[in-house]
């Protein structure tokens, strides 16, 4: 018998946005593998052990967790948001695929969560109300040319675009370049949402037109959502603007 | 003072996948607007009133809820999954945009949830571990030509595709046609996941190769996820296959 290996998402950070299923996995596990700030959201018991590591060492962390589970320990791998969206579930699967045969028999449970773009969308209205895509802007894991090609094709296809990992100290120019590419296809009035830390005390929501969008408004905790040509802004007296994408589309986009 | 209007998602159907935040909104509201099967998941108190309606009358339902909120009643609009993904949050915003000015001052809170593709992905591994998109296959709300164009572009762009509303009695041929279009671009070995009722007692997960994928395997409760050329299947002794899309992409897709 192996131990259990749970891969959970904490949700966007507000404890009330983490599912009871994820909470139960936390209660059942003994050792926790993940990036410090995510594990610190969990209020572990004194008998629970956190094995923290650098956020960039995802594969190593997955391997360490699998090794412990194969040894019979119940372990929990912790992501922010949803573990299946640019997060640890894929790293755990990669490690199983490339690792020793015994890792394939580990009792694995992936627990879904609320991913950042859904939390941002909810705070601002319904920008993901029609077809949309999620693209990671990190060129650590794929060539930048691929990212440019994808941005061109999805904006031409009329999809709303949620950008994960938009900017970091090591990747300062990519978001600005992404805005340039999207401006080639989309109207300058297209709403851009900078959704920072949705649901947390330091939340900050900002809506700008694509023509004026500045990469400096984003940081590592930001999910950037770029509307489609159909996305609309509703002004409300005394309340923040609402941004939404209608469910219907009458005419070909272009 | 208006009443509060909450727009919530119940998650995929397993009560443990509904967030505490959504549960609190349910407790705070007095009248509930939504499709019967979703409201029935909530175990309402005797003093709470459910105002059910046909699932296709989304705009009417949003208007009815806004009218009651403007009258000072705390109301809750209920979707399955996440309310912002092909669901009621966009309908409520459409109604606010087109409705009387007083609806713009209604105290609106959209509460995010776990949407179907995340629940399906978690049950099967990590197929959404890289760039992906969500497309509704319903041509009730947009022309079929637009859907075909989008399927071509996102598969050429190398995104994993999650199809919502894949099939119904009134729309029997669209999913088969979508598979045909995707076969023009993607390898016949590309994994296709038919994820039905993820997390519920009647859950059924099925993985087929795109070359053999049959539309009849889907029903209205199914979310269909089609891999990218990078998506891989891991065979495990005595356990279901895992399907995942690696986080990294070394070479241009084609």
């Amino acid at each position: 018998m192996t131990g259990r290996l749970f891969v959970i998402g904490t949700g966007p950070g507000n404890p009330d946005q983490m599912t009871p299923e994820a909470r139960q996995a936390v209660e059942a596990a003994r050792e926790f593998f993940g990036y410090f700030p995510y594990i610190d959201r969990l209020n572990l018991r004194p008998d629970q052990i956190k094995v923290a590591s650098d956020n960039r060492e995802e594969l190593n962390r997955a391997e360490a967790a699998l090794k412990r589970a194969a040894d019979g320990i119940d372990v929990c791998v912790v992501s922010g948001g949803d573990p299946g969206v640019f997060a640890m579930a894929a790293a755990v699967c990669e490690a199983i695929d490339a690792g020793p045969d015994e890792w394939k028999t580990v009792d694995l449970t992936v627990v879904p969560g609320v991913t950042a773009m859904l939390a941002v969308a909810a705070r601002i209205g319904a920008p993901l109300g029609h077809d949309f895509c999620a693209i990671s802007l990190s060129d650590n894991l794929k060539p930048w040319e691929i990212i440019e090609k994808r941005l061109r094709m999805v904006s031409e296809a009329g999809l709303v675009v949620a950008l994960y990992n938009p900017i970091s100290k090591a990747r300062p120019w990519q978001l600005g370049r992404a805005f340039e590419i999207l401006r080639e296809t989309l109207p300058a009035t297209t709403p851009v949402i900078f959704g920072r830390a949705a649901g947390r005390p330091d939340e900050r929501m900002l809506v700008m037109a694509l023509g004026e969008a500045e990469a400096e408004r984003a940081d590592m905790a930001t999910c950037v959502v770029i509307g489609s040509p159909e996305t609309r802004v509703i002004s409300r007296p005394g309340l923040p603007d609402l941004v939404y994408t209608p469910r219907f589309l009458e005419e070909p986009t272009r």
Side-chain angles (χ1 to χ4, degrees), chain A:
Chain A
M1 281 284 288
T2 76
R4 301 197 66 178
L5 193 162
F6 300 98
V7 186
I8 70 157
T10 63
N14 174 342
D16 286 337
Q17 292 180 340
M18 178 167 160
T19 67
E21 186 183 32
R23 183 69 55 197
Q24 289 156 20
V26 169
E27 281 161 22
R30 186 156 178 86
E31 296 187 5
F32 292 77
F33 296 78
Y35 181 53
F36 244 170
Y38 300 148
I39 296 184
D40 286 345
R41 292 177 183 167
L42 300 179
N43 298 315
L44 299 183
R45 302 185 305 264
D47 65 306
Q48 293 178 309
I49 297 162
K50 62 179 174 183
V51 186
S53 68
D54 189 291
N55 199 21
R56 289 166 298 182
E57 295 170 357
E58 292 180 332
L59 193 60
N60 293 350
R61 194 190 303 150
E63 290 167 345
L66 279 160
K67 189 166 187 308
R68 291 298 282 166
D71 286 346
I73 313 292
D74 292 332
V75 303
C76 185
V77 173
V78 182
S79 287
D82 175 273
V85 176
F86 308 119
M88 286 302 299
V92 168
C93 289
E94 288 163 25
I96 292 172
D97 205 4
D101 278 351
E102 61 173 350
W103 289 2
K104 292 188 174 60
T105 64
V106 162
D107 184 359
L108 172 69
T109 304
V110 182
V111 179
V114 174
T115 185
M117 65 181 165
L118 301 184
V120 168
R123 292 297 286 163
I124 210 84
L128 306 179
H130 201 81
D131 301 337
F132 65 93
C133 65
I135 292 181
S136 169
L137 217 56
S138 170
D139 51 357
N140 295 335
L141 295 168
K142 61 180 179 264
W144 179 253
E145 313 88 79
I146 295 278
I147 298 175
E148 290 208 0
K149 176 189 166 189
R150 290 182 176 176
L151 291 172
R152 285 199 175 87
M153 295 189 82
V154 296
S155 58
E156 280 173 27
L159 271 61
V160 172
V161 182
L163 295 178
Y164 282 70
N165 306 314
I167 203 163
S168 73
K169 278 183 186 152
R171 295 182 293 100
W173 57 264
Q174 284 83 342
L175 180 59
R177 178 74 188 126
F179 287 148
E180 285 177 17
I181 291 165
L182 295 170
R183 283 184 198 116
E184 293 169 12
T185 313
L186 296 170
T189 53
T190 305
V192 176
I193 302 154
F194 295 83
R196 184 182 186 284
R200 301 208 293 271
D202 53 341
E203 172 182 301
R204 194 182 61 225
M205 295 287 145
L206 177 68
V207 181
M208 301 180 82
L210 178 59
E212 282 89 53
E214 297 163 338
E216 309 83 73
R217 302 305 183 103
D219 66 9
M220 284 181 65
T222 305
C223 181
V224 179
V225 178
I226 299 103
S228 77
E230 282 69 50
T231 304
R232 294 175 56 89
V233 178
I234 307 175
S235 297
R236 298 186 297 173
L239 291 170
D241 289 351
L242 284 178
V243 182
Y244 78 101
T245 308
R247 298 161 304 140
F248 52 85
L249 178 60
E250 307 275 350
E251 297 289 322
T253 310
R254 62 187 52 83

